[in-house]
Amino acid sequence: MNGIDAIVFALIDSNVKSVTGVPGFPITKLMEKVREKIGSEWSVNEKVALEIALGSSVCGERSAVITKHVGMNVLADPLVSSTTHTIGAGVVVIAGDDPGIEKSQNEQDSRFYGLLAEVPVFDPVNPGTAYQCIIEAFVLSEKTSAPVIIRLTDRLLQTAGDFSRGSTSSPMAGFDKKMWHITMKGKHQLFHKTSYPLMCEYSGGSLLNTIKKRGRIGIISSGFPSYIVDSVVPDDVSHLSLVAVNPLPMELVTSFIDEHERVLVVEETEPVIEKQVTGVFGKLTGHMPYGKVEEGDIRKALDNIGKNVISNEIIPQTIEQRGARPICDNCPYLPLYDAVKETGVPVAGDVGCVILASAPPLSLIDAAFSLGGAISTASGFYRKGIALIGDFALAHSGINGLVNAVHNRHDVVVVVLQNEVSAMTGGQPVPDLTGLVSSYIGDTQILDLEKPVPDLKKLLAEKLKKKGMSVILARGKCPVY
Ligand code: SF4
């Protein structure tokens, strides 16, 4: 079985009743498998997904949230607050990172959210540890009254391996409303008096962290890279593999460092462990690359372990080297994209399919910072510009930008690519916001691209001349989904 199977069985064996999530690489396949076995729903955004999970927790049901790494930014608000607020039944946030940026807008490391929110983070090595992490995470979440993060990557989800299923367990904690008698400051003090020490005690003694002492040189690794280290490391190199990675088991780590002459840290994608200790080598010293770790990187680092610093010239990859991800030849939005380009005004995009219009030869988008961000970004333009936004992005968080634009009297032409699916993540259905938008924005026009359409360039020019907000709901059928 693979990492996906291990997680699904662990959720079943943990008696999880509710799973919420937002599609995206690398976790869409995991969620689809979960949906075959457990009550679950695709949420419109990650903050909503976590808030639903917290609601289930308060009512005594275990719940999980499945999100890609960038979704962690969106759910960070309730995540950080929930630790001092306290929860009831266990809540586990499964975050899929994308080292190497195969299908994402950045390469951020979800383990950082453990440090920020002060919650435990597990970084499993293989399907066996992934299963065990989920099982232990629910128990730990209930003991510490805080959510727990499990960080995964695509390679872990796809890797085959054995695991043994244990007996099922049920929630052992209820939500205690006594915390409403304590001030906000008092909640943080209580957290550091009770919950955080329990988290440290757990990670310090966790049997999921393993150590093999063999020689003068040592490697500290975390997550899937530990699997790679085990396959390449010579017999005389020691290995500390960390799975319970936050709070960092400091005593274990520092004594491992003290017992070895040189210690290399191997982790994806950022130097999260490396930054918390001294006297080690890794990304900060140039021994290891940022992002995805390959066997050759570890071998090269060990060859150079005698050096204190390695100078690595970083040459940023260009679109020409990689090749632009093309827009489908039969995309119904191509004529609209051409018309938008001809207006010559600034264009804010989104990170759905619209982002494909950013690369040459179209080079249509001026900026696209986040999912749902097009309308707010265009609200900041010095002149009336265009926001190109998908219908999923509008439901995700773009609707907030629309409300703000109306409230603060911004001038934007919003073009919603209304194809009723989240085409970038596998064709999941999207809420229809036609009624909501058309009742809120007076100048809302439905444009059915399946039928003969007016002169698009002229239409956009008219909308750009008007003051205030204009919305074009451009309906097209995505031929892929
Ligand atoms: S997946 Fe659909 S919406 Fe996206 S570019 Fe292709 S045809 Fe257009």
Side-chain angles (χ1 to χ4, degrees):
M1 292 199 166
N2 61 22
I4 292 178
D5 301 313
I7 292 162
V8 173
F9 280 119
L11 291 171
I12 294 169
D13 293 345
S14 299
N15 230 327
V16 173
K17 291 285 188 296
S18 150
V19 181
T20 49
V22 177
F25 183 82
I27 51 77
T28 305
K29 281 193 184 133
L30 169 62
M31 184 64 166
E32 279 165 359
K33 198 76 184 266
V34 167
R35 281 164 69 80
E36 292 169 15
K37 314 266 184 195
I38 301 172
S40 55
E41 64 185 41
W42 287 124
S43 305
V44 295
N45 74 35
E46 297 81 358
K47 179 173 182 282
V48 168
L50 179 55
E51 286 159 352
I52 292 171
L54 292 167
S56 300
S57 159
V58 165
C59 287
E61 294 288 3
R62 286 180 173 173
S63 53
V65 176
I66 299 183
T67 173
K68 69 182 277 138
H69 58 325
V70 286
M72 294 296 286
N73 306 335
V74 183
L75 61 73
D77 187 3
L79 176 72
V80 176
S81 299
S82 61
T83 56
T84 48
H85 177 286
T86 72
I87 64 168
V91 174
V92 169
V93 177
I94 299 173
D97 283 8
D98 186 8
I101 319 193
E102 279 180 55
K103 294 174 188 171
S104 302
Q105 56 271 52
N106 72 26
E107 204 175 17
Q108 69 186 56
D109 190 322
S110 295
R111 293 175 301 164
F112 276 125
Y113 277 102
L115 289 145
L116 175 69
E118 299 184 293
V119 295
V121 179
F122 287 95
D123 199 9
V125 178
N126 51 30
T129 48
Y131 178 88
Q132 209 51 44
C133 284
I134 301 266
I135 298 289
E136 297 197 16
F138 278 103
V139 176
L140 185 60
S141 170
E142 286 156 8
K143 258 189 173 170
T144 58
S145 205
V148 173
I149 297 170
I150 312 275
R151 191 277 285 267
L152 307 166
T153 60
D154 189 49
R155 290 196 287 185
L156 177 100
L157 291 171
Q158 305 304 334
T159 294
D162 297 332
F163 60 91
S164 306
R165 292 179 70 180
S167 52
T168 55
S169 74
S170 295
M172 53 179 205
F175 179 57
D176 188 349
K177 278 179 74 176
K178 280 211 293 283
M179 61 86 192
W180 287 117
H181 295 277
I182 304 170
T183 64
M184 294 301 169
K185 181 178 174 178
K187 283 176 193 162
H188 197 207
Q189 289 168 325
L190 188 64
F191 169 79
H192 278 287
K193 184 169 184 259
T194 56
S195 296
Y196 197 71
L198 284 172
M199 293 175 192
C200 294
E201 189 188 325
Y202 173 83
S203 66
S206 174
L207 297 178
L208 291 168
N209 297 331
T210 56
I211 190 162
K212 290 172 193 149
K213 287 188 192 157
R214 299 161 172 145
R216 296 179 300 113
I217 309 293
I219 293 179
I220 299 173
S221 65
S222 128
F224 186 78
S226 297
Y227 182 81
I228 308 174
V229 168
D230 275 337
S231 62
V232 298
V233 78
D235 288 342
D236 58 350
V237 173
S238 304
H239 184 196
L240 170 59
S241 165
L242 296 175
V243 172
V245 77
N246 193 68
L248 194 65
M250 212 43 103
E251 219 179 293
L252 181 68
V253 171
T254 48
S255 66
F256 183 85
I257 294 168
D258 291 345
E259 286 163 12
H260 292 85
E261 272 176 33
R262 314 282 281 186
V263 172
L264 178 72
V265 180
V266 177
E267 55 187 329
E268 288 175 337
T269 56
E270 292 288 318
V272 175
I273 297 171
E274 196 182 337
K275 278 183 174 171
Q276 295 180 69
V277 293
T278 52
V280 295
F281 304 91
K283 297 178 198 300
L284 299 173
T285 55
H287 288 76
M288 292 297 298
Y290 283 79
K292 199 170 191 171
V293 170
E294 304 287 5
E295 286 182 16
D297 300 320
I298 301 167
R299 288 204 183 95
K300 190 174 153 210
L302 287 176
D303 288 346
N304 288 293
I305 197 70
K307 297 177 187 163
N308 288 340
V309 176
I310 298 182
S311 69
N312 267 336
E313 197 193 349
I314 298 173
I315 303 166
Q317 185 187 47
T318 63
I319 291 284
E320 286 73 25
Q321 283 170 325
R322 190 203 62 187
R325 286 180 65 197
I327 298 181
C328 307
D329 288 343
N330 51 353
C331 181
Y333 294 109
L334 286 173
L336 189 56
Y337 289 159
D338 287 335
V340 168
K341 179 141 194 202
E342 282 190 52
T343 61
V345 300
V347 178
D350 243 295
V351 296
C353 266
V354 177
I355 197 84
L356 302 178
S358 62
L362 258 175
S363 304
L364 176 61
I365 312 286
D366 288 293
F369 294 106
S370 58
L371 188 64
I375 301 172
S376 317
T377 304
S379 297
F381 288 163
Y382 68 97
R383 57 177 288 193
K384 189 166 187 177
I386 295 176
L388 272 178
I389 183 166
D391 49 0
F392 178 61
L394 182 68
H396 178 272
S397 49
I399 196 76
N400 296 339
L402 189 67
V403 172
N404 181 72
V406 172
H407 181 62
N408 289 307
R409 299 175 190 277
H410 288 292
D411 302 313
V412 182
V413 176
V414 180
V415 179
V416 182
L417 308 174
Q418 207 177 29
N419 58 13
E420 299 180 354
V421 289
S422 176
M424 198 60 150
T425 59
Q428 295 80 9
V430 167
D432 182 359
L433 299 184
T434 305
L436 195 142
V437 171
S438 54
S439 64
Y440 193 57
I441 309 287
D443 184 18
T444 296
Q445 180 166 348
I446 294 173
L447 188 69
D448 190 342
L449 296 171
E450 302 291 310
K451 296 184 180 155
V453 287
D455 182 333
L456 294 173
K457 197 178 155 196
K458 202 168 143 216
L459 176 71
L460 289 169
E462 280 168 14
K463 303 281 180 198
L464 284 165
K465 262 194 226 140
K466 284 188 180 177
K467 285 290 291 170
M469 299 297 291
S470 308
V471 176
I472 298 172
L473 298 172
R475 294 187 174 162
K477 226 179 180 57
C478 169
V480 179
Y481 299 104

